């Protein structure tokens, strides 16, 4: 070994010893800086957790790396990371329930909670959707509302009634028709009234009839009077003669012998061959069933007489007008034959059946007819003054009538309009009764409601077709459990987690001179989920 080689080796040894001493001098100072950095990071995390809203109740603390691991108090995991608090959901404001809808058929409604035939609960339908939630209405800028010409009206309680215009026919009062029928048999000797429509007076002779039965009864009465004597208590009278006289007289009265003919028989003692048939009431002959020389009996009706001092008017009413009509309503009658003249009457009867051909219900009116001006068969125009009824009503123009039902556009705060299904009642004078769906004081769109309804239906269909975009962040802005950087988001719903999760501090390491590019894993499709840290690929459909 030469001196030069020995000197070179000794120099290298001294340089190595110096480098080691220099490195041992600076190493404790670097470690202190790293500990201080970790301490500052932990302090920032604690301050962030302390800044969480104190008004919300903490349900539990979750492991930041595995949300399935819970704790009932704040703690750190084995990597030194703080558990994240999970808060109870905020209370939602109470909303007014319009009705409950069937979960299988939304067109079926109920005014109270119930179950369907499959045991499924009916779903409540609210009058106003939550702020920021998905609703079925439409929100319009006030300037656009004015440009569209949107005009509002108020659902209000108001008296509703209407004057029903209808037509009718004058008819004979059925309570004033009299039939003339003999109580004996015989032949018509003399017919005094020979045509339908002839006027007759009470007590007027209508016909004279020869009846052997009645003639024999008169003879028996005359013989009984002769035996009984002229007066009661005659010395020559038979004890039973008074009873026979009474029985014979009673038989004549039951056979229909007029009182005048009976007095004439008592005065003359001679029976009448032709017995007169008298009119029981004044009126006109509406039916004539006998002719000169006809044979009549107690089974034949000879005449029919109608008194026209009071007549009926039968008017037709449609079924949708019936809710407004009551017995006793005033009616005004006009006849085209007598312009400018009115008859006042009352509605006194509603027929219980409906005419299957005209689909109308007959209402009966009664009018006095002293001069015979109202003739049966005449047409008349009638105005029924229906009584007013107080009910919740809207203008008819504010109701949208669709094949799915009747709707009204309910105006809400902030330019929001919600279509509400309503149940309609009777309609009168441009107003319609609202039986269900609204309350007094609700603001409803009266004009341009079709545009708003169409827009709300379009938005609803669009929301159903596109679906809601999933939000991988909680209410406080923190990614949901399983949505860590570099990891796919979890498919199931996660709890609301407050406070950002502190990122782990990377250990110092030497930077290589050349680093190959890092390829990020492609995010799985929305159908994919994750379970226990494993990414689940979506199922493939058959070709």
């Amino acid at each position: 070994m030469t001196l030069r080689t020995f000197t070179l080796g000794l120099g290298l040894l001294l340089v190595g010893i110096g480098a080691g001493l220099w490195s041992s001098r600076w190493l404790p100072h670097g470690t202190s800086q790293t500990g201080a950095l970790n301490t500052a990071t932990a302090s920032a995390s604690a301050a962030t957790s302390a800044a969480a809203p104190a008004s919300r109740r903490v349900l539990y603390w979750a492991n930041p790396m595995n949300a399935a691991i819970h704790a009932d108090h704040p703690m750190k995991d084995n990597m030194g990371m703080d558990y994240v608090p999970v808060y109870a959901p905020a209370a939602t404001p109470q909303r007014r329930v319009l009705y409950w809808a069937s979960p299988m058929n939304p067109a079926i409604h109920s005014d109270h909670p119930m179950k369907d035939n499959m045991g499924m609960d009916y779903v409540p339908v609210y009058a106003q959707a939550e702020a920021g939630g998905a609703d079925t209405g439409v929100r319009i800028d006030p300037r656009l509302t004015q440009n569209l010409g949107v005009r509002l009206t108020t659902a209000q309680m108001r008296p509703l009634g209407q004057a029903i215009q209808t037509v009718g026919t004058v008819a004979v009062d059925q309570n004033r028709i009299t039939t003339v029928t003999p109580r004996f048999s015989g032949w018509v000797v003399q017919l005094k009234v020979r045509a339908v429509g002839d006027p007759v007076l009470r007590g007027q002779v209508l016909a004279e009839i020869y009846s052997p039965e009645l003639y024999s009864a008169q003879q028996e009465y005359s013989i009984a009077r002769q035996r009984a004597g002229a007066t009661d208590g005659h010395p020559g009278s038979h004890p039973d003669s008074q009873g026979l006289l009474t029985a014979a007289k009673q038989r004549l009265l039951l056979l229909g012998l007029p009182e005048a003919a009976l007095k004439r028989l008592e005065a003359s003692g001679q029976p009448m061959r032709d017995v007169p048939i008298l009119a029981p009431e004044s009126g006109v002959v509406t039916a004539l069933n006998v002719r000169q020389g006809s044979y009549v009996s107690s089974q034949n009706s000879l005449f029919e007489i109608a008194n026209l001092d009071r007549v009926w008017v039968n008017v037709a009413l449609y079924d949708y007008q019936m809710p407004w009509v009551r017995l006793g309503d005033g009616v005004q009658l006009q006849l085209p034959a007598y312009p400018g003249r009115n008859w006042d009457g009352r509605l006194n009867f509603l027929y219980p059946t409906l005419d299957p051909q005209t689909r109308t219900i007959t209402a009966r009116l009664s009018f006095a007819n002293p001069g015979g001006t109202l003739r049966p068969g005449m047409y008349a125009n009638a105005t029924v003054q229906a009584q007013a009824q107080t009910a919740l009503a809207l203008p008819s123009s504010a109701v949208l009538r669709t094949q799915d039902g009747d709707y009204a556009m309910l105006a809400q705060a902030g330019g929001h309009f919600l279509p509400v299904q309503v149940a309609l009642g009777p309609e009168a004078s441009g107003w319609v009764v609202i039986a269900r769906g609204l309350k007094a004081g609700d603001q409803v769109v009266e004009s341009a409601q079709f545009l708003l309804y169409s827009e709300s239906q379009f938005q609803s269909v669009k929301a159903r077709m596109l679906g809601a975009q999933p939000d991988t962040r909680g209410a406080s802005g923190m990614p949901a459990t399983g949505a860590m950087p570099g990891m796919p988001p979890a498919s199931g719903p996660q709890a609301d987690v407050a406070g950002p999760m502190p990122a782990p501090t990377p250990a110092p390491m030497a930077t290589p001179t050349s680093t190959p590019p890092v390829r990020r894993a492609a995010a799985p499709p929305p159908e994919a989920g994750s379970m226990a840290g494993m990414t689940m690929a979506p199922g493939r459909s058959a070709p």
Side-chain angles (χ1 to χ4, degrees):
M1 179 182 298
T2 61
L3 179 61
R4 182 178 180 180
T5 302
F6 176 79
T7 304
L8 181 60
L10 181 62
L12 292 175
L13 178 62
L14 292 177
V15 170
I17 294 174
L21 293 177
W22 183 84
S23 300
S24 63
R25 178 182 177 184
W26 289 102
L27 184 58
H29 180 68
T31 305
S32 300
Q33 285 184 344
T34 304
L37 180 61
N38 292 340
T39 303
T41 304
S43 301
S45 175
T48 304
S49 300
S55 60
R56 300 177 65 185
R57 181 172 60 90
V58 178
L59 295 178
Y60 54 87
W61 281 261
N63 189 309
M65 302 301 295
N66 189 354
I69 302 176
H70 299 168
D72 57 356
H73 60 278
M75 61 179 297
K76 297 179 179 294
D77 63 359
N78 52 3
M79 297 176 60
M81 301 173 64
D82 293 324
Y83 273 45
V84 181
V86 177
Y87 296 95
T92 58
Q94 295 294 330
R95 293 179 293 167
R96 180 169 64 90
V97 178
L98 295 177
Y99 53 86
W100 282 261
S102 172
M104 304 301 295
N105 187 359
I108 302 177
H109 298 169
S110 173
D111 56 357
H112 60 278
M114 60 179 295
K115 295 179 180 292
D116 62 3
N117 52 4
M118 299 176 61
M120 302 174 63
D121 293 323
Y122 272 44
V123 180
V125 177
Y126 298 96
Q128 181 179 3
E130 252 187 333
D135 52 37
T136 58
V138 60
R139 198 177 301 274
I140 299 180
D141 183 81
R143 290 181 298 177
L144 181 58
T145 301
Q146 184 177 4
N147 294 337
L148 290 176
V150 176
R151 186 171 66 252
L152 302 181
T153 186
T154 304
Q156 54 184 286
M157 301 293 296
R158 59 176 290 135
L160 290 179
Q162 63 177 345
I164 301 175
Q165 304 289 339
T166 183
V167 295
T169 305
V170 180
V172 177
D173 189 342
Q174 300 294 326
N175 297 324
R176 295 173 175 266
I177 297 178
T178 306
T179 300
V180 180
T181 303
R183 301 178 184 179
F184 49 85
S185 59
W187 288 263
V188 178
V189 177
Q190 186 68 31
L191 186 61
K192 302 293 185 181
V193 178
R194 302 196 175 194
V196 174
D198 289 349
V200 296
L201 299 176
R202 181 185 180 92
Q204 179 180 340
V205 178
L206 302 177
E208 292 181 356
I209 299 177
Y210 165 66
S211 173
E213 179 183 4
L214 189 57
Y215 187 81
S216 176
Q218 294 181 68
Q219 289 179 337
E220 292 176 0
Y221 180 67
S222 298
I223 295 172
R225 281 182 57 83
Q226 290 177 5
R227 289 183 179 182
T231 59
D232 294 339
H234 192 275
S237 63
H238 194 274
D240 296 333
S241 60
Q242 192 64 33
L244 293 174
L245 178 63
T246 304
K249 181 178 181 179
Q250 188 65 26
R251 183 186 179 192
L252 289 175
L253 294 176
L254 292 177
L255 288 174
L257 185 68
E259 289 286 344
L262 181 59
K263 291 181 180 180
R264 179 181 174 183
L265 176 60
E266 292 176 351
S268 63
Q270 297 295 326
M272 298 179 59
R273 179 181 178 276
D274 300 333
V275 179
I277 301 297
L278 306 180
E281 295 290 341
S282 299
V284 296
V285 177
T286 57
L288 180 62
N289 303 321
V290 64
R291 293 300 175 184
Q292 180 75 26
S294 299
Y295 176 79
V296 297
S297 66
S298 58
Q299 298 179 357
N300 302 120
S301 174
L302 305 183
F303 304 92
E304 190 175 88
I305 301 173
N307 190 325
L308 301 181
D309 292 340
R310 178 170 287 273
V311 295
W312 286 351
V313 177
N314 296 324
V315 298
L317 298 174
Y318 290 100
D319 51 357
Y320 66 85
Q321 297 173 331
M322 297 309 298
W324 304 108
V325 178
R326 296 290 183 274
L327 292 179
D329 288 347
V331 181
Q332 193 175 67
L333 197 70
Q334 302 90 24
L335 270 70
Y338 302 97
R341 185 174 177 182
N342 298 327
W343 284 263
D344 295 327
R346 295 281 177 182
L347 191 150
N348 55 13
F349 186 74
L350 289 172
Y351 283 81
T353 57
L354 183 141
D355 189 343
Q357 296 182 351
T358 62
R359 309 302 301 172
T360 58
I361 300 171
T362 302
R364 191 170 69 200
L365 318 173
S366 181
F367 291 92
N369 187 30
T373 307
L374 300 176
R375 301 175 184 272
M378 297 179 67
Y379 288 108
N381 298 321
T383 303
V384 182
Q385 303 294 335
Q387 298 179 1
Q389 304 176 26
T390 302
L392 180 65
L394 275 179
S396 300
S397 58
V399 179
L400 285 168
R401 293 172 170 85
T402 68
Q403 62 179 1
D404 298 329
D406 301 318
Y407 289 86
M409 293 301 297
L410 180 64
Q412 299 176 334
H416 183 263
F417 299 94
L418 180 68
V420 177
Q421 189 170 15
V422 294
L424 303 182
E427 187 173 359
S429 303
W431 291 76
V432 60
V433 174
I434 304 299
R436 185 177 67 253
L438 295 174
K439 67 179 186 302
D442 284 345
Q443 294 288 322
V444 177
V445 179
E446 186 178 5
S447 64
Q449 67 270 33
F450 180 76
L451 296 175
L452 301 179
Y453 177 78
S454 302
E455 179 66 18
S456 66
Q457 295 300 308
F458 172 75
Q459 292 186 7
S460 177
V461 171
K462 183 176 67 174
R464 289 196 299 266
M465 292 178 61
L466 300 181
Q469 297 295 333
D471 188 6
T472 59
R473 303 187 65 85
S476 60
M478 175 185 174
T481 306
M484 299 292 295
M487 298 177 61
S491 60
Q494 304 296 335
D496 185 10
V497 184
M501 185 183 69
T505 304
M509 59 182 296
T511 303
T513 56
S514 62
T515 304
V518 179
R519 296 176 178 265
R520 293 179 177 269
E527 295 86 350
S530 63
M531 181 177 67
M534 296 187 301
T535 301
M536 301 178 63
R540 297 182 179 179
S541 58

